[in-house]
Amino acid sequence: MNDGLDSATGWLSEHGPRLVLLARQWVGSHADAEDVCQEAFIRFWPHRYRVRDPLAYLYRCVRNAAMNRQRSDGRRQVRERRNTPGPMFDDQPGEGIEQAELQQAVQRAMEE
């Protein structure tokens, strides 16, 4: 039975650009979107005969993979910000003190 599901190359050439465009909505770059599509396609390919609508399933796989990548990248960025030490020395001495004084002045003004 050859219903167009046998050629991975055919699937990628026909649907790849639209899949990358779909993934691009959630990830930071075109290269990341291509990576997401490749990962999703690899997961999709062995299951293509088991689903009623393989193309819809593939689009869902790409969407889920892109959203997972977006969440993963967000968590990584938070970890990096949290674990990155601040500068050892301020670029401008006294800047931290001025900021604290400004915050205190704003707080006093709000209380009044």
Side-chain angles (χ1 to χ4, degrees), residues 16-37 59-60 62-71 73:
R18 286 184 297 259
L19 293 169
V20 171
L21 188 60
L22 174 68
R24 186 66 181 90
Q25 295 177 38
W26 286 280
V27 297
S29 70
H30 186 81
D32 287 343
E34 288 176 338
D35 290 346
V36 162
C37 289
Y59 272 83
R60 177 68 111 185
V62 169
R63 178 182 172 272
N64 290 346
M67 292 174 73
N68 288 342
R69 170 75 64 99
Q70 179 188 42
R71 282 191 294 269
D73 288 350

Side-chain angles (χ1 to χ4, degrees), residues 1 12 80:
M1 172 173 137
L12 289 174
E80 288 174 357

Side-chain angles (χ1 to χ4, degrees), residues 3 5 20 44 46 50 52 74 79 84 86 89 99:
D3 53 3
L5 296 178
V20 171
F44 154 78
R50 296 183 202 158
R52 185 177 322 141
R79 276 192 315 274
T84 302
F89 301 101
Q99 185 67 26

Side-chain angles (χ1 to χ4, degrees), residues 94-106:
E95 187 176 293
I97 295 170
E98 292 173 7
Q99 185 67 26
E101 290 173 351
L102 178 60
Q103 288 176 346
Q104 289 173 354
V106 169

Side-chain angles (χ1 to χ4, degrees), residues 11 48 64 86 92 110 112:
W11 269 74
R48 67 193 181 279
N64 290 346
Q92 298 181 3
M110 289 176 58
E112 294 174 0

